[in-house]
Amino acid sequence: MKLARYTPSFDLGRVADFDQWLRHPFAGFPAVGQLLGDFLPGVAGRLAADVYEDQDNYYARFELPGVKKEDVKVEVHDRLLTVSTQRQTKDEGQEESYSLSRSISVPESVRADAIAAKMEDGILTVTLPKQEERKPKLIQVN
């Protein structure tokens, strides 16, 4: 399976899309958003994420290059998966800190008690198992 990053397209003929474009004009251009992140709230500080599913699970993959797994926090609360990281670095007497986070809605059909996360080569993969399908019960009339 080939993964392709979702980039929303805007149809400026629709009022909702035009409003969205006005709020986040550089959403389709992440490199520009990173350059201007200090001036445009909501563009910088978000983790890149891919979401996909197979027959048994949903998956959410987050790019976290150079981040240790000890610095990553994964939470599920009220059907919302939140991944965040905060890091402080010291370089020649200067301290820098940054924080990144991303929240994704979780379907109701996810078994919250079986969610797992794995960090490998700067990629965090969160596995969200689907619930067993509920089969209808046949009731006989006597």
Side-chain angles (χ1 to χ4, degrees), residues 2-126:
K2 182 179 179 185
L3 296 177
R5 184 174 309 276
Y6 172 73
T7 305
S9 62
F10 297 107
D11 177 12
L12 297 180
R14 292 183 14 199
V15 174
D17 287 339
F18 185 69
D19 183 53
Q20 181 71 14
W21 181 81
L22 285 175
R23 292 174 192 256
H24 306 287
F26 299 106
F29 308 101
V32 174
Q34 288 174 355
L35 289 173
L36 300 175
D38 293 336
F39 306 105
L40 299 172
V43 176
R46 286 187 63 187
L47 296 172
D50 291 313
V51 179
Y52 59 98
E53 70 177 308
D54 63 16
Q55 185 176 356
D56 300 320
N57 301 301
Y58 297 102
Y59 299 95
R61 295 175 85 188
F62 301 89
E63 296 177 11
L64 297 163
V67 176
K68 298 176 186 175
K69 69 179 182 178
E70 296 84 24
D71 296 332
V72 177
K73 182 178 176 183
V74 180
E75 294 179 304
V76 177
H77 183 67
D78 289 336
R79 291 187 25 201
L80 193 65
L81 171 70
T82 303
V83 175
S84 58
T85 182
Q86 188 168 9
R87 186 172 171 192
Q88 295 181 352
T89 59
K90 294 180 182 179
D91 187 31
E92 298 178 12
Q94 294 182 345
E95 287 188 30
E96 284 188 16
S97 66
Y98 67 89
S99 63
L100 302 169
S101 68
R102 184 75 182 257
S103 295
I104 297 174
S105 295
V106 175
E108 288 182 20
S109 62
V110 168
R111 291 184 8 225
D113 60 335
I115 295 174
K118 180 180 179 183
M119 182 84 157
E120 186 174 320
D121 297 329
I123 303 292
L124 174 69
T125 303
V126 180

